[in-house]
Amino acid sequence: MNFREKETEKKTIYKGNIIDVYSYKVELPNGKEAPRDVVRHPGAVAVLPVDENGNIYLVQQFRFPINQELYEIPAGKIDSGEEHYECAVRELKEETGMSSDDMVYLGGIYTTPGFSDEIIHIYIAKNLSYGKSCPDEDEFLSVVKVTKEEFIKMISENKITDAKTLSAYAKALIYGGI
Amino acid sequence: MNFREKETEKKTIYKGNIIDVYSYKVELPNGKEAPRDVVRHPGAVAVLPVDENGNIYLVQQFRFPINQELYEIPAGKIDSGEEHYECAVRELKEETGMSSDDMVYLGGIYTTPGFSDEIIHIYIAKNLSYGKSCPDEDEFLSVVKVTKEEFIKMISENKITDAKTLSAYAKALIYGGI
């Protein structure tokens, strides 16, 4: 079956630092017209760091759009021209100070395909070594180490509510890395 | 530790059908100023339907922002004034024709807290009964029934890449419903 929607009109609404916003008109499979607002994003990576005892490293940071602090796996947006593997290595180092000589790519996830093209590339990182973190100057976060049992409890108690963190956990379980 | 960012300026960029876009200035914990673009969304629900044999029901639909069809659990945005439970019942019925007399709320997830306030409320639906689907007139989708093994294989082969679907799976595993 072909449900493809055909672009008939495109209007630039906004060019921001990270996101751009466009308003489209599309032709639906039934020939009718519909509006589609799209938030374009450069893409991001997220890294699930697991140590030799099965502990998981999270970062706790304030998220302005939802006005609260979240627990998330280390993550960040891909810089222009950067490969997602490079980005994963960089973000893990910047946010937690850690390096890994065993990073495995678990695939990309679409965070909100109804209105955005954002993809987050998920890695699991093992064989960790520890150094000094170096977050961006406008980035404020703390690193939190939890056992696998604590991590699961935080999910069931809705203390972990971040979709990329939950998605990475699902992928790591299936991959067998956790 | 308090990483809160204080709003100092707010500009409305766009009011769309579903999303609104705002550009803020915030004061960081170090006193400096930073820009924050925020996409405001009314919130949504997603329902993981599991039958008595452990089969899972997905919908396949075209997603214009990423120009491809995705497999996702049934989902949709909350109408104005609607409770998320009502919305879950409605969307399950509209998209798949199914009803459930055992719907359990597994909590909310933030899909992309870096630039949006979208929350998706996740349900697992069991004891399913089957009727006729009635999608919105601008909604084109097909329902796909998969075994749990097929579902897991689709994740490991990156045929399921939707974050809410992966997150719902993680939550359902921990809840014990799958």
Side-chain angles (χ1 to χ4, degrees), chain A residues 3-5 14 17 32 35 37 40 62 64-65 67-68 109-110 112-113 118 137 158 161 163 166-167 171, chain B residues 3-5 14 17 32 35 37 40 62 64-65 67-68 109-110 112-113 118 137 158 161 163 167 171:
Chain A
F3 297 142
R4 189 163 291 272
E5 297 172 351
Y14 180 63
N17 286 320
K32 290 195 181 164
D37 292 334
R40 301 222 175 265
F62 183 75
F64 180 76
N67 195 35
Q68 60 181 272
I109 61 166
Y110 291 106
T112 179
E118 187 190 39
E137 68 158 350
N158 289 313
T161 55
L166 289 158
S167 298
K171 282 180 153 295
Chain B
F3 298 141
R4 188 162 292 273
E5 297 173 350
Y14 180 64
N17 286 321
K32 290 193 181 166
D37 292 335
R40 300 223 175 264
F62 184 76
F64 179 76
N67 196 35
Q68 60 181 273
I109 61 167
Y110 292 105
T112 180
E118 188 191 37
E137 68 159 350
N158 289 312
T161 54
S167 297
K171 282 181 153 295

Side-chain angles (χ1 to χ4, degrees), chain A residues 103-145:
Chain A
M103 284 183 67
V104 177
Y105 183 50
L106 302 181
I109 61 166
Y110 291 106
T111 50
T112 179
F115 71 83
S116 176
D117 67 352
E118 187 190 39
I119 186 169
I120 301 184
H121 299 282
I122 305 287
Y123 282 83
I124 183 167
K126 296 186 144 190
N127 289 342
L128 303 169
S129 48
Y130 306 88
K132 201 170 152 29
S133 67
C134 44
D136 291 341
E137 68 158 350
D138 70 345
E139 200 170 43
F140 300 85
L141 48 82
S142 41
V143 178
V144 181
K145 180 169 104 172

